[in-house]
Amino acid sequence: MEKVAIAKVFIEPESPFITRSVAFPSLAEGELLVKIDFSTICTSDLHSFFGRRHACSHSVLGHEIIGIIEKMYTEDMYDYYGNQLNIGDSITWTIYAHDPDSINAKKGYPQKSEALYKYGHEQMNDTYQLNGGFASHCHLRKNTTLFKLPKNLSNLEAAPLNCTHATIAGALRLAGDLNNKNILVNGVGMLGLSACAMAKEEGAKNVWSQDIDSKKATNSLKFGAKKTFIYGEGEISPAVDAEGGIDVIIETSGNPEAIEYCLKLLGIGGTLVLVGSVFSQRDLTINGEYLVRNLLTIKGLHNYIPEDLATAINFMEKAHLKYPFESLVGKTFSLQELDEAFATAQNGGYYRIGILP
């Protein structure tokens, strides 16, 4: 009997998902089929579904995914660390498959590899239909970097690893050595909370947070922030100058006004890392002389490299009992309730909504 998977297919913004039965694929070299264990609705999924960013019609959204290996092209397959993979292993993976021989990959940017294939973003075709998280199975292509999951992590902790936490690991990598540095995290949604905790674990002297939402700002205290600020209410500078100023800002909101504001908060030699600017927006107004005289650096990160996902997994394995990441998945729906799940996520009451196949 032919085995069949179930996928919830995105057609166009704000239209109900279509349920489709998909025959299990024939695997090519380097490929495997994963039975999805759990997935979460990322903010970028909301941007896609509600038309704030382009998304391919007839696609399977969702990229924060974990699963169990159900089928492999060959038994001779290995994870990032060289550990042999087996049927039944619980894994996560990079949100993309890349060409290691491409120009950008050789430069150190595999996430910008030519012909990159991103899970949860690609149009379905005859060969690759199970290409996102909101389905019963996911078809992983060759040159997707795979990781066995630590056994001490719950599904709620593990599912966001390959997007939220890996992205922040990449942002902190770009920020450089955080030991004894003062860090401000602007915007403490899921990305920002991860940044607070990870910066704290990497030896930051002080971790401060800023948000327009006082409840979110207060919640960041549970994730390593020492002090919080409400955006637009009062001056940050007097409070942080006494501690030596701000060395690094991790900006997760993507709001142009907030970015311009953050730039002026940096101390001499400071670094601003942008990770939230992933939707259409106006150009920034930046003064070149101000950058030069203050020795400032601006860096941007889109997605991440496999090493960052390794860092994120290592962080979560060691620190998951110190920070309540499990609580951030506020509600879980079945795959058949995906429309209701997206409506709930859009209302903004939860950091993440979970989906059970």
Side-chain angles (χ1 to χ4, degrees):
M1 181 178 177
E2 184 180 36
K3 293 187 176 181
V4 174
I6 299 298
K8 299 293 280 187
V9 181
F10 168 79
I11 303 298
E12 61 182 8
E14 299 190 65
S15 292
F17 290 95
I18 303 299
T19 302
R20 179 179 293 181
S21 297
V22 180
F24 277 13
S26 297
L27 301 181
E29 180 184 357
E31 297 184 348
L32 45 77
L33 183 69
V34 173
K35 184 180 186 298
I36 294 175
D37 217 11
F38 197 73
S39 57
T40 44
I41 300 176
C42 177
T43 303
S44 63
D45 292 317
L46 296 178
H47 289 332
S48 295
F49 182 78
F50 289 98
R52 296 188 289 268
R53 60 183 286 178
H54 170 73
C56 295
S57 179
H58 292 82
S59 63
V60 182
L61 301 181
H63 50 273
E64 291 188 343
I65 327 166
I66 57 173
I68 299 170
I69 298 175
E70 184 154 316
K71 184 180 178 183
M72 298 188 294
Y73 175 78
T74 174
E75 295 182 358
D76 192 27
M77 297 184 71
Y78 302 88
D79 73 357
Y80 174 81
Y81 293 106
N83 300 311
Q84 186 162 358
L85 295 169
N86 299 289
I87 302 295
D89 283 343
S90 294
I91 63 170
T92 187
W93 54 91
T94 51
I95 58 173
Y96 58 83
H98 75 283
D99 177 4
D101 295 321
S102 72
I103 293 173
N104 283 332
K106 288 182 176 180
K107 288 180 179 178
Y109 309 114
Q111 75 272 44
K112 293 298 176 181
S113 168
E114 293 77 5
L116 190 78
Y117 188 89
K118 289 186 66 176
Y119 298 103
H121 295 79
E122 304 289 341
Q123 190 168 50
M124 302 168 77
N125 59 37
D126 290 342
T127 305
Y128 297 103
Q129 299 188 62
L130 299 170
N131 54 13
F134 304 136
S136 63
H137 293 74
C138 192
H139 181 183
L140 301 186
R141 295 180 60 163
K142 183 179 181 180
N143 293 320
T144 301
T145 308
L146 311 170
F147 294 82
K148 286 188 178 182
L149 281 170
K151 296 185 182 300
N152 64 340
L153 297 183
S154 70
N155 287 351
L156 280 67
E157 293 165 330
L161 278 168
N162 71 339
C163 179
T164 296
H165 303 302
T167 298
I168 291 302
L172 297 186
R173 170 176 54 82
L174 293 185
D177 183 9
L178 299 185
N179 189 51
N180 208 35
K181 298 286 182 65
N182 292 329
I183 315 299
L184 174 68
V185 178
N186 189 66
V188 279
M190 189 78 169
L191 283 167
L193 295 178
S194 178
C196 289
M198 215 174 290
K200 179 73 172 177
E201 294 302 304
E202 290 193 16
K205 177 184 176 183
N206 290 297
V207 178
W208 300 307
S209 71
Q210 179 175 250
D211 202 283
I212 60 174
D213 186 324
S214 61
K215 289 183 179 179
K216 286 186 175 181
T218 299
N219 195 41
S220 69
L221 296 172
K222 299 177 183 178
F223 291 85
K226 181 179 179 181
K227 185 177 178 61
T228 68
F229 302 93
I230 305 303
Y231 179 78
E233 296 184 10
E235 285 291 325
I236 290 181
S237 296
V240 301
D241 287 348
E243 296 283 350
I246 299 173
D247 299 300
V248 173
I249 298 178
I250 306 298
E251 208 298 307
T252 74
S253 76
N255 181 282
E257 289 79 11
I259 294 170
E260 292 162 353
Y261 176 73
C262 284
L263 189 62
K264 295 180 180 180
L265 294 177
L266 284 170
I268 297 296
T271 299
L272 173 62
V273 183
L274 309 179
V275 296
S277 303
V278 293
F279 48 86
S280 297
Q281 57 187 242
R282 68 165 175 82
D283 291 343
L284 298 174
T285 300
I286 296 174
N287 184 280
E289 182 186 7
Y290 185 83
L291 291 179
V292 170
R293 292 191 180 278
N294 290 281
L295 311 177
L296 302 182
T297 300
I298 302 174
K299 296 184 177 182
L301 179 77
H302 187 225
N303 298 329
Y304 55 84
I305 63 176
E307 175 190 343
D308 298 327
L309 180 49
T311 299
I313 295 170
N314 184 56
F315 157 76
M316 188 63 70
E317 183 178 18
K318 293 179 178 179
H320 73 112
L321 295 179
K322 294 178 66 174
Y323 307 103
F325 282 107
E326 189 173 75
S327 70
L328 300 181
V329 183
K331 197 168 185 179
T332 297
F333 292 82
S334 71
L335 183 61
Q336 294 303 323
E337 299 172 313
L338 191 60
D339 290 290
E340 183 182 353
F342 264 74
T344 302
Q346 178 66 6
N347 287 336
Y350 304 101
Y351 292 89
R352 283 293 185 272
I353 293 294
I355 303 299
L356 275 170

